[in-house]
Amino acid sequence: MASLEVESGSGIKVHVFSSSSELLESLHEKWGSVKKQPYPAMYSSVYGGIILDPAMMVIPIDDHMVHRGHGVFDTAIILDGHLYELDVHLDRFLRSASKARIASPFPCSTLRSILIQLAAASKCKKGTLRYWLSAGPGNFLLSPAGCPTSAFYAVVIDEDFSQRKEGVKVITSTIPMKSPMFATMKNVNYLPNVLSVMEAEDQGAFASIWIDEEGYIAEGPNVNVAFISQDKELILPIFDKILSGRTALRLLQLAPKLIEQGRLKSVKTGNLTVEEAKGAAEMMYVGSTLPILPIVMWDEQPIGDGKVGELTMALSDLLWDDMVAGPATLRIPVPYEE
């Protein structure tokens, strides 16, 4: 069947795909020009399986996650053929879904199995595994009552990452941060996060720092933030108004090793004012793929001596070693097929 073209009032002709095969051919042509496939595998509960063809890695336009932002997500790391901290991320994922009033179409054990099988099918040995729960497709209304079922999606992203050893510059964000209700659940409404990063990039910085309504340090746009005080205390902001980052929580578990070595005085969470934070000896972002990113300048003022701190890198080593050779309970081997 011949393809059709519709002429608009402006004289521009918009192509109308006359068949699914024609559309698929066009999508394959697009992806065929990509040198390396960045998304080696995707799972969709709508399709009911794993997709290896990038042209078919799509979600319905009437999915409420697309047009209403009614969805949650989380991420796990694939490193050296192992999934790192998948179980604790899944636990947070389901807590976020409960807060967003989204019921999973599968029990946690099934979600876990799907994600492990997806990682295996992708053949990816280093990257990230990102997954979403949505209210599901069904209509374009506000309420999800007309959605037949929720939807689960996941994708493997083939990306390289390593320890971050160079310091970055940050700014204080002027973009309002999310309220605690939304900040403590990992939902897909990331417009404030996007705008805060864009604001930082406009000023030549890597990212930004949010300050809460009481004047205390909160978090970065998609990472936690941590400080080493002049008294060698590791301090992270309290998690009551921000997302409880799994890497940050793991850092709090590992950091006492530096106390045993006499390098740190204490490890704690607490409220920090901007003045106290800017007076820190060292500062860092904490997040899954970093796992630590040194911060050497904030609002054009150096942190400490303006250089990457020794304790920052010691903490980075602790986390990286945990990712590479930590307990078996945290590192799930991916059962790749030979």
Side-chain angles (χ1 to χ4, degrees):
M1 183 176 179
S3 63
L4 303 174
E5 290 185 340
V6 176
E7 186 171 347
S8 71
S10 65
I12 298 174
K13 291 184 177 180
V14 180
H15 185 76
V16 178
F17 290 98
S18 61
S19 66
S20 57
S21 59
E22 183 196 2
L23 174 59
L24 191 55
E25 182 181 351
S26 175
L27 289 170
H28 281 145
E29 184 178 338
K30 170 194 170 183
W31 282 103
S33 63
V34 177
K35 291 184 179 180
K36 182 182 179 182
Q37 165 58 272
Y39 317 122
M42 172 188 175
Y43 173 85
S44 168
S45 64
V46 175
Y47 286 170
I50 293 171
I51 307 141
L52 302 179
D53 184 347
M56 301 302 294
M57 294 181 184
V58 296
I59 64 177
I61 191 66
D62 66 342
D63 191 302
H64 279 230
M65 184 167 68
V66 175
H67 64 83
R68 298 300 178 197
H70 196 176
V72 298
F73 78 102
D74 222 302
T75 305
I77 294 299
I78 305 173
L79 182 60
D80 293 340
H82 290 73
L83 282 162
Y84 179 68
E85 286 204 313
L86 174 61
D87 292 323
V88 292
H89 280 93
L90 262 179
D91 288 343
R92 181 178 66 181
F93 179 59
L94 291 175
R95 287 198 302 273
S96 294
S98 177
K99 291 180 180 180
R101 298 184 62 181
I102 301 172
S104 173
F106 310 114
C108 183
S109 59
T110 301
L111 296 176
R112 185 179 190 272
S113 178
I114 289 170
L115 292 174
I116 293 172
Q117 291 180 60
L118 176 65
S122 75
K123 303 186 186 304
C124 177
K125 301 294 177 69
K126 190 178 188 180
T128 54
L129 175 60
R130 189 165 297 188
Y131 40 97
W132 296 261
L133 266 177
S134 159
N139 54 42
F140 288 92
L141 302 177
L142 273 175
S143 171
C147 301
T149 182
S150 57
F152 178 60
Y153 306 106
V155 67
V156 173
I157 305 169
D158 188 343
E159 59 179 325
D160 192 19
F161 54 87
S162 58
Q163 270 186 287
R164 306 291 294 271
K165 299 182 179 181
E166 300 295 324
V168 299
K169 183 168 81 171
V170 300
I171 65 165
T172 301
S173 180
T174 65
I175 306 299
M177 66 179 289
K178 298 173 188 174
S179 67
M181 175 180 177
F182 295 107
T184 55
M185 75 169 88
K186 203 168 175 70
N187 63 84
V188 300
N189 297 284
Y190 259 47
L191 185 56
N193 312 62
V194 171
L195 293 177
S196 69
V197 168
M198 294 177 70
E199 177 186 36
E201 291 173 344
D202 288 344
Q203 298 182 41
F206 176 81
S208 57
I209 302 295
W210 264 319
I211 312 300
D212 70 21
E213 71 280 359
E214 295 181 78
Y216 295 123
I217 305 302
E219 60 185 345
N222 64 341
V223 284
N224 291 105
V225 62
F227 302 86
I228 303 291
S229 74
Q230 297 293 342
D231 294 329
K232 297 190 182 302
E233 293 180 303
L234 172 64
I235 309 171
L236 278 76
I238 298 171
F239 298 112
D240 58 344
K241 298 178 183 177
I242 60 175
L243 191 70
S244 57
R246 307 317 304 178
T247 306
L249 291 174
R250 185 60 179 156
L251 177 64
L252 290 170
Q253 294 173 341
L254 294 171
K257 292 182 180 180
L258 297 187
I259 297 177
E260 295 170 7
Q261 297 170 13
R263 301 173 71 183
L264 269 182
K265 179 182 176 181
S266 65
V267 174
K268 66 179 184 180
T269 60
N271 287 321
L272 279 168
T273 65
V274 174
E275 183 180 3
E276 290 170 333
K278 287 187 174 181
E282 302 178 31
M283 178 179 178
M284 68 208 80
Y285 278 138
V286 185
S288 296
T289 58
L290 299 173
I292 296 284
L293 176 59
I295 297 172
V296 296
M297 186 168 289
W298 181 4
D299 290 337
E300 301 300 333
Q301 298 177 24
I303 297 298
D305 61 6
K307 299 178 182 179
V308 174
E310 177 187 347
L311 289 173
T312 296
M313 292 314 303
L315 293 168
S316 179
D317 288 340
L318 283 177
L319 276 172
W320 190 260
D321 291 346
D322 197 58
M323 292 164 65
V324 172
T329 52
L330 298 182
R331 301 176 68 249
I332 301 171
V334 178
Y336 302 102
E337 292 185 8
E338 296 297 332

